[in-house]
Amino acid sequence: MIGRVAGALAVTGAAGLAWGIGIERTAFQVRRASAAVLPAGASEVRLLHISDIHLLPRQTRKRDFLTGLAGLEPDLVVTTGDNIAAPDAVGPLIDSLGRLTEVPGAFVFGSNDFEAPRFKLPVKYLMGPSGGSGSDGADTAALPTDELRSALEGIGWHYLEERRVELEVAGQTIRLRGTGDAHQGRDDYDAVAGPAADDAVEIGVTHAPYLRVLDAMTADGLDLILAGHTHGGQVCIPGRGAIITNCDLPPSKAKGLFEHEHAGHTSLVNVSAGVGMSPFAPYRFACPPEVTLLTLVPRADPM
């Protein structure tokens, strides 16, 4: 009896792994949501949120998916980091963006924009948040971060780490501020901190949605915060969701749009489940890869 149960579990596990590697990891989706952050009477703004591409040049399906995103006709593109997974992926990344390079954009980096991913036992991921890359003393290979930044700035996108920028998008003034990757302790929100003004939409951008960053941005009254890093849990339990977020965000908020409250303020937060994953963990389960098309709409008129 025990042998039969063990055999059934082994078959189920193998089938799940085959699905995660062979099917779901390239079952790319566009998640659509609306965020009521614009003033009354304003025209809608289509914001495309991309995260965690982890691109390798050979990933043709992923590259085709990215190229096709221009068909969504976004007004603004924001990427929240972990764009590449190999030193030779910068050129293919820019090529894959296609006509998105003609759209206003902004970006921050994640740890895998600085250092190449490396092998980790999957069980370690399920045991709790990892440290930053190289935190366990293992050697890591540097990625061409300066080349990546230059390439993205070369298409007119704005680097936001500890920086602010103001853009006119679809007739709306949008102010963005960003931080470095909190998972590696690169964040310095104090460099861009300050109360949000009421004459523009204020958006915070960060890679890893650690509570210290979400709390600080929310306390400043930002309308919307964009983050990635979690991969939506990557391996989820059907009907229950993520097991872990790889940060201090609760698993129930591993992906999607939700409200975050702190210090008497409320911000909308969108955590992207991301387009890719580490090449050493090329699978997803009950958590397909995604981008988010956020339609920014007017707030409801007060009664």
Side-chain angles (χ1 to χ4, degrees):
M1 181 65 178
I2 294 177
R4 290 180 181 176
V5 171
L9 289 174
V11 170
T12 301
L17 185 63
W19 171 268
I21 294 175
I23 304 296
E24 191 165 330
R25 72 182 176 93
T26 56
F28 303 109
Q29 297 185 358
V30 178
R31 179 166 53 85
R32 291 171 167 83
S34 295
V37 297
L38 299 181
S43 299
E44 295 181 351
V45 177
R46 296 163 66 86
L47 189 160
L48 179 62
H49 178 193
I50 303 175
S51 198
D52 298 271
I53 301 171
H54 292 283
L55 186 67
L56 296 171
R58 67 173 182 266
Q59 293 172 329
T60 55
R61 289 185 183 178
K62 184 186 295 183
R63 294 180 62 182
D64 289 345
F65 173 70
L66 292 172
T67 302
L69 293 175
L72 298 173
E73 298 184 346
D75 302 303
L76 175 65
V77 181
V78 178
T79 171
T80 47
D82 278 2
N83 296 283
I84 58 176
D88 57 349
V90 175
L93 173 69
I94 301 302
D95 290 344
S96 300
L97 292 175
R99 291 190 295 108
L100 290 179
T101 61
E102 302 169 8
V103 178
F107 63 97
V108 295
F109 287 151
S111 60
N112 287 150
D113 294 310
F114 295 92
E115 299 165 348
R118 53 189 173 79
F119 177 76
K120 297 177 183 178
L121 291 174
V123 69
K124 288 187 176 180
Y125 178 78
L126 297 176
M127 291 171 63
S130 66
S133 294
S135 62
D136 59 2
D139 291 335
T140 56
L143 290 175
T145 310
D146 291 342
E147 178 187 350
L148 176 60
R149 176 178 170 181
S150 294
L152 291 171
E153 290 182 323
I155 62 174
W157 289 8
H158 298 271
Y159 181 59
L160 287 179
E161 295 193 11
E162 284 66 59
R163 287 168 171 79
R164 296 179 182 232
V165 68
E166 180 175 303
L167 301 175
E168 294 296 321
V169 178
Q172 298 298 315
T173 300
I174 296 181
R175 296 196 185 103
L176 302 105
R177 65 179 79 175
T179 77
D181 183 6
H183 192 62
Q184 285 198 319
R186 296 177 181 268
D187 55 309
D188 180 14
Y189 181 69
D190 287 346
V192 292
D198 59 6
D199 61 343
V201 178
E202 299 253 7
I203 300 177
V205 183
T206 194
H207 175 64
Y210 277 81
L211 291 176
R212 66 177 182 267
V213 179
L214 302 187
D215 286 350
M217 289 182 170
T218 300
D220 273 348
L222 300 194
D223 299 296
L224 176 65
I225 303 168
L226 304 176
H229 175 71
T230 66
H231 295 186
Q234 188 164 328
V235 176
C236 297
I237 299 175
R240 292 190 59 185
I243 302 169
I244 195 169
T245 63
N246 202 22
C247 63
D248 60 0
L249 195 67
S252 61
K253 297 181 177 179
K255 64 178 178 180
L257 186 68
F258 57 87
E259 290 186 343
H260 183 74
E261 298 180 0
H262 186 72
H265 294 271
T266 302
S267 296
L268 287 176
V269 178
N270 190 68
V271 177
S272 173
V275 179
M277 67 291 293
S278 167
F280 296 107
Y283 45 78
R284 284 185 178 245
F285 190 78
C287 186
E290 67 169 33
V291 299
T292 308
L293 184 65
L294 272 179
T295 302
L296 311 187
V297 300
R299 303 180 186 90
D301 288 331
M303 300 298 292

